[in-house]
Amino acid sequence: MKRIVLAILLFSAANIYAETIKMKDGNLITGSIVAQTEYTLNLATSYGTITLNQREIDQILPDKHRIILKGGSQLIGQILDLDEFNLKLKTDDGAVVNIDMPQIVSVETYDYDRGENAQKEYVEKAQEVAAQREAHAAAVAAGTASAGVAAAGGLTFDNDIDQVFDTQKANVVNGQVVSSTAPQTTAPVSQRPMSDEEAFLKGVKTGSVSQQEYAAAAKEELAAKKQTEKEKPSKKPKIQRTEADFNKYYSVQAGVMPLDLKLDNSGRNGYGEEDEFDVGGTSVTVSSKFLWRLKNSNLWLGPELGIGSIANNTFEDKDSSIDHSRIPDPEVKTNGQIFRGGLTAQYYINPKSRFAFYLTGSALYEMLHVNYRAEQSSSKISSNGFAGAAGLGVETWIDDLMIGLEVREVFAQRQKELKNSAGANTLIQLQLSWKF
């Protein structure tokens, strides 16, 4: 087997640059293309270099090989690739077939030249014509012959135009072209048996299995192999995008909450009962929660912790003890923090969906602190107590993680100087979560 593979490789290396030119008169010449223009083609053959007229060329043929298989069947086409174990062949009908080396008996290369003598004779004739052309050119230069405009391949447009185009002249009557009505005759088709060479070119069945049948069988085998590979389980187990196989849940959230806080400052020096100031603003919050599934239900329960900021605010300091000559524009500055902790529950409405919606509710204890910094004094205003939250969220899987959006309404009753604040505020937060 190794000898067969070696022979194929040596053959491919030796003929990788070989081209076979089919002429319109039926002759075939093999060689390497040295140069090519719109009118001529220079071909280096094993007998010398010749110049061919492009109008006389029918086509440039690809190398073809006959693969003889065990059992007498054969395949004909172009070898695309081969190694020690496999040969890839493109057949005449366009199919690509992979053949195992142990199935191959022999590999033959079709001899387009139809024998070395035929090619040698053609090349010698072409060289003789070239020599005559050079002699004619020398005679014209010496003044012993009439000049003519030479075309590629040695023909002249004044004498050999009909040979260049090889066409039947049209009939012209009163300046108009009249199609010939003469019946066209064709040579009778010979009924002789086809030669091995002709059978090879036409891909005629010569063994127990034809080229087309073998290619079709190879396609079916390849399709069955691909189907089997698809049915094989993936090496990496896919994550179930449902709730059924998970019992623990952890998430990290970040969001914003427009906080409505009203500070009643009437009890301080210099302020009246009508003096109420907005010390809220947009609060930035972060939180996390760790939940467990209750048995096999869609309900999850666990602790939650969160922290938020209260934006910086300023308003006029009306303290009557301020020396306005020293402090022309006194101000009160406020900011603060919110801490929350408690129990959270989530109930999934459609846990098997790509986008899972859930209802959420929380029972929390909230500690709110506002830092009050006036020109003459400072203090901390606190409002601690129980709070509740209820809202709606949505999650979806991204690889091993989930991303989601949650909207809550947070309810809390404020105390002391903050008693006039709103009892409900909307919290909007993005979340990144894991289930395991």
Side-chain angles (χ1 to χ4, degrees):
M1 181 57 61
K2 290 183 178 179
R3 289 196 297 270
I4 294 175
V5 174
L6 181 59
I8 295 172
L9 292 173
L10 289 173
F11 174 81
S12 301
N15 294 276
I16 190 168
Y17 299 109
E19 300 285 351
T20 300
I21 312 300
K22 183 180 179 183
M23 308 299 292
K24 291 182 178 179
D25 60 4
N27 283 294
L28 297 133
I29 309 101
T30 299
S32 299
I33 297 177
V34 177
Q36 188 173 3
T37 67
E38 183 180 356
Y39 304 103
T40 63
L41 185 147
N42 294 337
L43 189 72
T45 71
S46 55
Y47 305 101
T49 301
I50 59 172
T51 300
L52 302 176
N53 191 335
Q54 289 281 15
R55 288 194 175 95
E56 296 175 359
I57 296 174
D58 185 12
Q59 61 178 314
I60 299 176
L61 300 172
D63 288 340
K64 283 193 177 182
H65 300 85
R66 186 208 309 265
I67 312 300
I68 307 300
L69 305 174
K70 291 181 179 179
S73 58
Q74 68 176 25
L75 283 170
I76 299 170
Q78 295 175 255
I79 294 178
L80 301 179
D81 190 17
L82 75 162
D83 54 33
E84 187 176 352
F85 307 101
N86 183 269
L87 184 145
K88 185 181 290 185
L89 185 77
K90 181 177 181 181
T91 63
D92 289 341
D93 58 1
V96 177
V97 181
N98 290 303
I99 309 169
D100 293 333
M101 281 299 181
Q103 301 181 31
I104 300 174
V105 176
S106 64
V107 179
E108 301 175 4
T109 303
Y110 173 66
D111 185 8
Y112 281 114
D113 300 337
R114 296 188 295 186
E116 294 184 359
N117 293 333
Q119 172 153 322
K120 182 178 181 182
E121 180 182 348
Y122 188 93
V123 173
E124 290 176 349
K125 183 177 179 181
Q127 291 174 338
E128 182 182 350
V129 172
Q132 292 176 355
R133 184 168 65 252
E134 291 176 0
H136 177 73
V140 170
T144 58
S146 60
V149 181
L155 301 177
T156 56
F157 289 110
D158 53 355
N159 298 323
D160 299 315
I161 190 67
D162 294 339
Q163 296 181 35
V164 173
F165 291 100
D166 192 22
T167 56
Q168 181 180 356
K169 288 184 177 180
N171 297 324
V172 180
V173 178
N174 295 328
Q176 299 293 327
V177 176
V178 180
S179 300
S180 175
T181 57
Q184 300 292 326
T185 60
T186 57
V189 178
S190 173
Q191 300 299 321
R192 64 176 177 78
M194 294 177 65
S195 65
D196 289 341
E197 177 184 293
E198 293 170 329
F200 176 79
L201 280 176
K202 295 182 179 180
V204 176
K205 178 178 177 179
T206 59
S208 59
V209 181
S210 70
Q211 174 181 345
Q212 291 78 8
E213 291 169 341
Y214 188 91
K219 285 181 180 179
E220 292 178 3
E221 181 181 352
L222 183 60
K225 184 177 179 181
K226 289 183 178 179
Q227 184 64 29
T228 303
E229 291 177 352
K230 287 182 180 179
E231 293 174 356
K232 289 182 180 179
S234 175
K235 293 181 180 180
K236 183 179 180 181
K238 293 184 178 180
I239 299 174
Q240 290 289 334
R241 301 300 198 261
T242 64
E243 304 300 300
D245 298 329
F246 302 102
N247 295 307
K248 297 181 181 67
Y249 175 96
Y250 177 74
S251 72
V252 177
Q253 300 167 305
V256 295
M257 181 172 67
L259 190 60
D260 186 2
L261 283 179
K262 300 297 183 182
L263 175 63
D264 181 4
N265 220 23
S266 60
R268 297 180 185 273
N269 182 26
Y271 295 94
E273 294 184 356
E274 73 283 357
D275 287 328
E276 186 176 84
F277 300 98
D278 183 3
V279 293
T282 301
S283 174
V284 177
T285 67
V286 293
S287 62
S288 66
K289 52 189 175 182
F290 192 94
L291 309 179
W292 287 269
R293 176 198 292 278
L294 295 184
K295 294 185 178 180
N296 293 321
S297 68
N298 294 337
L299 181 62
W300 296 70
L301 191 66
E304 175 185 350
L305 293 173
I307 184 172
S309 66
I310 299 176
N312 295 323
N313 290 279
T314 60
F315 56 88
E316 183 184 359
D317 191 344
K318 297 181 179 181
D319 191 343
S320 58
S321 63
I322 295 175
D323 182 1
H324 288 273
S325 62
R326 186 172 61 87
I327 306 173
D329 296 310
E331 287 184 338
V332 176
K333 299 178 182 179
T334 64
N335 61 12
Q337 306 83 33
I338 306 174
F339 300 94
R340 295 190 187 97
L343 193 65
T344 295
Q346 286 184 189
Y347 181 81
Y348 284 86
I349 302 171
N350 57 336
K352 296 183 179 181
S353 176
R354 172 68 175 171
F355 293 91
F357 288 85
Y358 62 87
L359 300 174
T360 181
S362 303
L364 307 166
Y365 186 78
E366 182 181 86
M367 295 180 291
L368 185 149
H369 304 289
V370 175
N371 300 313
Y372 186 96
R373 296 188 299 277
E375 296 291 348
Q376 299 293 332
S377 64
S378 63
S379 62
K380 179 180 287 187
I381 304 170
S382 298
S383 176
N384 302 333
F386 289 97
L392 177 68
V394 61
E395 290 180 326
T396 187
W397 285 96
I398 301 294
D399 292 330
D400 296 337
L401 306 177
M402 288 180 296
I403 60 172
L405 176 68
E406 188 176 281
V407 180
R408 288 182 171 191
E409 197 71 14
V410 181
F411 306 93
Q413 189 68 35
R414 311 301 178 190
Q415 302 172 2
K416 301 178 181 179
E417 293 102 319
L418 302 174
K419 61 184 178 181
N420 295 331
S421 302
N425 295 276
T426 302
L427 172 61
I428 303 172
Q429 52 192 358
L430 297 173
Q431 67 180 15
L432 181 67
S433 54
W434 299 261
K435 286 185 178 178
F436 48 95

